[in-house]
Amino acid sequence: MAADKVIDGYTITSDTTDTATNYDDDTSVAQDVTFVYRDTQAPTVTTTKTELVSSKDGLPADEAAFLSAVGYATTDNQQYGDSTVSTDYDSVMNDVKADGKAREVTITVKDATGNTTTKTVMLTVVDTAPVSQEADVQTAQKNLDDLVSDPNASDADVATAKEALEQAIQDAQT
Ligand SMILES: [Ca+2]
């Protein structure tokens, strides 16, 4: 049998700590069997938000704040070793701040074996310049940004707050 060959139709589930299990039905020919623990199951990654909408000033300050704001969670089957999470939030945030265009932030989770799962969250900003000092704009901006840090803010509430801010900006400019 070829090394590491997967046998179609077979799934071995083992909960044993035996060190001397005998798989040899022919005592005249020794059979050496090596068990290799190989986790092939990638982690799960979930977020409560698929899009994070914010004013430029209301963007989460760092990766940890971003992950909290989008309700990030992960699970994995592996009992030995922890999964690690990384994102490109910092660079994406800087790009979005620079030109105001929405971009995807990619969240990557890698388990201890190296299996990875990614999930993206759209990062969308509303630029309040050049009317950011107008009272109505500031009020609408605060209403939107208060929802940024709430991972359970509903899409409908965020959409309403975004539209209200865009309207306040438009009104201030005319
Ligand atoms: Ca795993």
Side-chain angles (χ1 to χ4, degrees), residues 43 72 74-76 78 81-85 109-112 115:
Y72 156 80
T74 185
T75 62
D76 189 56
Q78 197 152 321
D82 296 324
S83 297
T84 56
V85 59
V109 179
K110 181 187 289 189
D111 71 17
N115 303 303

Side-chain angles (χ1 to χ4, degrees), residues 51-55 59 96 102-103 122-126 162:
E51 181 183 22
L52 188 65
V53 184
S54 169
S55 74
L59 284 165
V96 170
R103 289 175 176 80
M122 188 64 76
L123 193 62
T124 302
V125 292
V126 178
K162 178 172 182 266

